[in-house]
Amino acid sequence: MTSRRSARLLAKAASPILTPKASKVLKKPVTKKPVVRVAAVVLSTKVPAVDAGVTHATLADPGMMEAAILYLKSADPKLGQIIDQTTDECSMSLPRDDDNETSFVSLCKSVIFQQLAGNAARAILLRFLKRYGTLTDTSKAPLLTDDSSELQLTDFEFPTAQQVIAMDVEEMKAVGLGQRKAEYLQAVAEQFNSGALSEKMLLGMSDENVSRTLVSIRGIGQWTCDMFLMFHLKRPNILPTGDLAVRKAMCHHFKVPFGKKTPTHEQMVEMAQAWEPYRSVATWYMWRLAGTITQKTT
């Protein structure tokens, strides 16, 4: 099921004591795989590569989540213990998201939430929607002038791409968005409004092509792509190697040292070989594990 290398990593993960030999896990050279990490400024004018006739599996497919859990518990017994001890059901969705929202809306919300605590980001998003969104129930319109109203994010429809492009950046800053975030939102909107991107295109792309396409939009980095792939497109085999909590949790899980520059992307990919093709689900449990551990940086 896994390579010999993965088997040795899982054997170390099952050991209750961190031995000196465990640190050698990160020293063996690994084969580097190309990865898109740095955001460019302008999206290519070429039409994104869509896998014609290919339907990509998602964790929303019937039985997929159950199959992933069973597979991971068998492939990594120590992860199986974490799964059994976790009371929350694995759900590849974020509190801010609506399962019916479009890729455009999901990406815009990701931009708004970048580098902010959840409550602060939700407050800014709500002010943005009160200023620019459309109420789904017009009888609640009088509440728009009440700062302490009971209006929720779900009470609004997000502005269209065309509407976002037409917004004044200075006015966008008045609801709590920074200059750059306002510009990033408009950069995303321009791609969807021009037809350079569409829901159908993104659904038809491989994970690699989604990443390659999105990171070329100003303001979209690899971590945002990974979150989009996992929680919006619900792709099953995403490993966000740039996520600090996941890096720490994987080092704890596999009993290898954590440092400022380690583990590298390549080392994390190697450690997670046993989890393929369900790395997204394993990552969800690593986030749960991260909440229970304390790691020192070396």
Side-chain angles (χ1 to χ4, degrees):
M1 184 182 301
T2 66
S3 67
R4 294 178 180 176
R5 179 66 175 153
S6 294
R8 288 199 295 272
L9 282 171
L10 289 174
K12 289 184 182 293
S15 172
I17 300 176
L18 177 59
T19 65
K21 293 182 179 180
S23 63
K24 295 181 180 180
V25 172
L26 297 178
K27 294 182 179 180
K28 183 178 179 180
V30 297
T31 302
K32 293 186 177 181
K33 297 181 180 180
V35 59
V36 181
R37 298 181 192 170
V38 181
V41 174
V42 181
L43 181 64
S44 170
T45 56
K46 295 181 179 179
V47 177
V50 177
D51 303 321
V54 176
T55 300
H56 296 283
T58 78
L59 289 166
D61 294 342
M64 178 66 81
M65 183 62 75
E66 292 80 1
I69 296 295
L70 289 174
Y71 180 93
L72 291 170
K73 291 173 74 171
S74 175
D76 184 348
K78 187 176 180 182
L79 178 59
Q81 294 177 10
I82 297 172
I83 292 172
D84 290 338
Q85 293 167 4
T86 302
T87 56
D88 296 337
E89 181 179 353
C90 181
S91 172
M92 304 310 293
S93 60
L94 296 172
R96 68 172 187 254
D97 292 338
D98 180 342
D99 287 339
N100 297 318
E101 71 187 17
T102 65
S103 294
F104 166 67
V105 173
S106 179
L107 286 168
C108 284
K109 287 183 178 180
S110 293
V111 169
I112 292 173
F113 273 70
Q114 284 174 356
Q115 299 179 330
L116 289 176
N119 289 338
R122 278 187 286 274
I124 292 173
L125 176 57
L126 183 57
R127 289 199 296 269
F128 177 84
L129 291 174
K130 290 174 72 173
R131 173 67 178 81
Y132 296 108
T134 302
L135 275 172
T136 55
D137 182 355
T138 55
S139 67
K140 294 183 178 181
L143 297 175
L144 288 172
T145 58
D146 183 1
D147 292 337
S148 61
S149 74
E150 296 300 319
L151 287 174
Q152 304 294 320
L153 300 180
T154 52
D155 289 320
F156 296 90
E157 289 184 3
F158 200 87
T160 66
Q162 187 174 17
Q163 289 171 331
V164 172
I165 292 172
M167 293 175 188
D168 181 81
V169 170
E170 291 302 316
E171 291 182 6
M172 295 170 75
K173 289 166 63 177
V175 301
L177 292 172
Q179 174 84 22
R180 288 187 178 181
K181 281 195 177 182
E183 292 173 353
Y184 294 164
L185 286 176
Q186 292 188 326
V188 172
E190 286 170 0
Q191 303 311 315
F192 282 88
N193 189 60
S194 68
L197 273 183
S198 70
E199 192 77 19
K200 183 177 181 180
M201 288 179 186
L202 289 166
L203 289 173
M205 291 181 195
S206 66
D207 299 343
E208 294 76 14
N209 283 333
V210 169
S211 289
R212 188 176 297 112
T213 300
L214 293 185
V215 297
S216 60
I217 302 175
R218 187 183 180 206
I220 303 293
Q222 188 60 49
W223 184 86
T224 299
C225 288
D226 291 339
M227 298 304 103
F228 176 78
L229 283 161
M230 290 178 66
F231 295 108
H232 183 73
L233 296 184
K234 302 189 187 303
R235 298 290 174 86
N237 199 32
I238 306 304
L239 182 68
T241 58
D243 189 283
L244 181 60
V246 174
R247 292 176 61 222
K248 287 184 176 181
M250 286 184 67
C251 285
H252 180 87
H253 182 69
F254 289 105
K255 296 191 179 298
V256 296
F258 171 78
K260 292 181 179 179
K261 296 183 179 179
T262 57
T264 64
H265 166 81
E266 292 78 11
Q267 289 161 348
M268 290 179 69
V269 168
E270 183 179 15
M271 284 190 282
Q273 282 181 6
W275 298 342
E276 294 194 53
Y278 300 112
R279 296 183 302 180
S280 296
V281 179
T283 294
W284 190 90
Y285 284 101
M286 287 296 102
W287 276 316
R288 291 299 179 273
L289 176 61
T292 66
I293 62 176
T294 301
Q295 289 263 3
K296 290 185 178 181
T297 303
T298 58

